[in-house]
Amino acid sequence: TPSIFQPSSNATQNQIQQLDHTQKPLQKPHPIDLNGFSWPSIGTEKRRSETAEEKQARLDKMSGAVRTLLECIGEDADREGLLKTPERYAKALMFFTKGYEESMNDVVNDALFDEDHEEMVIVRDIDIFSLCEHHLVPFCGKVSIGYIPNRRVLGLSKLARIAEMFSRRLQVQERLTKQIAVALNEILQPQGVAVVMEASHQCMVMRGVQKPGSKTITSFMLGQFRSDPKTREEFLSLVK
């Protein structure tokens, strides 16, 4: 399906980064490709297009891997409580990472509207749940998203759906925050975009430093939110 989004006029220039004088320019992936995928993984297309038989084969392979893990930690994978755990976990992991299969075409659909509105729009305290890509344990929290329209607005629920799509992948919080902001900027071409996220990471709570109650806060600003301190301050005060 062709993308409902068109690359911005300066996309080519922004995609090229010169590493040094001896290397060729590095072509960066566009935030949203011509199929509507936003930063797809290497297996996105295969996962999205596989048949029912292929999906079952994937689950069977994952279940076998989980059974191996259970045996490696010293458990009896054949005892009653664990008999169906490999299959359950395989299905759960596919749900936890369903964002790999979703395209921005499906998420946004037809919820782009021309509107004579140029004041700040904010949806705050959107719940997000993700998996840390370093330890495959959860981190969860809330994200607040704001933008200043340039006579084009997006259905409010779509902001939450964009956050959901990116969070349902293996992530780090810094990248997740940036991806939400950059994708929204590409969709709307607004006067500015701001994203602030606060989350608790189980890799810091259940293991490692073991500090319950610690929070990680990340932000990413574009346009007026980055260039105008008063605009940024207004946004931050509204999302507290």
Side-chain angles (χ1 to χ4, degrees), residues 80-232:
E80 183 180 11
L82 294 177
L83 275 176
K84 295 186 177 180
T85 295
E87 181 183 0
R88 290 191 191 103
Y89 187 74
K91 291 179 178 178
L93 191 57
M94 291 297 288
F95 178 81
F96 295 154
T97 60
K98 65 186 179 71
Y100 287 124
E101 300 178 34
E102 296 176 334
S103 81
M104 202 63 77
N105 289 344
D106 299 331
V107 171
V108 174
N109 201 0
D110 57 353
L112 286 168
F113 308 102
D114 293 324
E115 191 67 39
D116 186 17
H117 183 81
E118 295 184 342
E119 298 298 326
M120 202 177 297
V121 177
I122 298 173
V123 178
R124 53 175 283 182
D125 295 336
I126 301 167
D127 289 316
I128 58 104
F129 305 90
S130 193
L131 289 177
C132 163
E133 67 179 31
H134 300 143
H135 301 97
L136 298 186
V137 294
F139 68 90
C140 56
K142 294 182 182 295
V143 60
S144 295
I145 305 171
Y147 70 96
I148 303 174
N150 190 11
R151 298 184 180 274
R152 198 181 194 198
V153 298
L154 181 65
L156 295 177
S157 68
K158 304 304 182 181
L159 299 178
R161 289 199 64 192
I162 290 171
E164 171 79 0
M165 182 188 78
F166 286 121
S167 66
R168 293 299 187 178
R169 302 177 179 187
L170 303 185
Q171 280 286 12
V172 295
Q173 185 176 328
E174 298 89 339
R175 183 173 67 234
L176 174 55
T177 306
K178 180 178 179 178
Q179 285 181 336
I180 294 169
V182 173
L184 186 59
N185 190 64
E186 186 65 26
I187 293 165
L188 290 173
Q189 297 294 301
Q191 298 179 58
V193 176
V195 178
V196 174
M197 184 180 300
E198 178 178 304
S200 175
H201 292 249
Q202 294 306 303
C203 59
M204 290 181 61
V205 174
M206 297 175 64
R207 58 162 300 282
V209 295
Q210 300 182 61
K211 297 299 182 184
S214 62
K215 302 285 186 181
T216 300
I217 300 174
T218 49
S219 68
F220 197 85
M221 310 281 174
L222 292 168
Q224 286 191 21
F225 291 102
R226 174 172 287 187
S227 62
D228 185 350
K230 290 184 177 180
T231 302
R232 182 166 61 251

Side-chain angles (χ1 to χ4, degrees), residues 17-33:
Q17 179 185 34
Q18 186 70 43
L19 296 181
D20 60 41
H21 295 296
T22 62
Q23 291 179 303
K24 295 180 179 179
L26 174 66
Q27 188 77 18
K28 288 185 176 180
H30 195 265
I32 303 171
D33 68 19

Side-chain angles (χ1 to χ4, degrees), residues 2-13:
S3 177
I4 61 176
F5 314 108
Q6 296 299 322
S8 55
S9 59
N10 61 346
T12 302
Q13 180 180 353

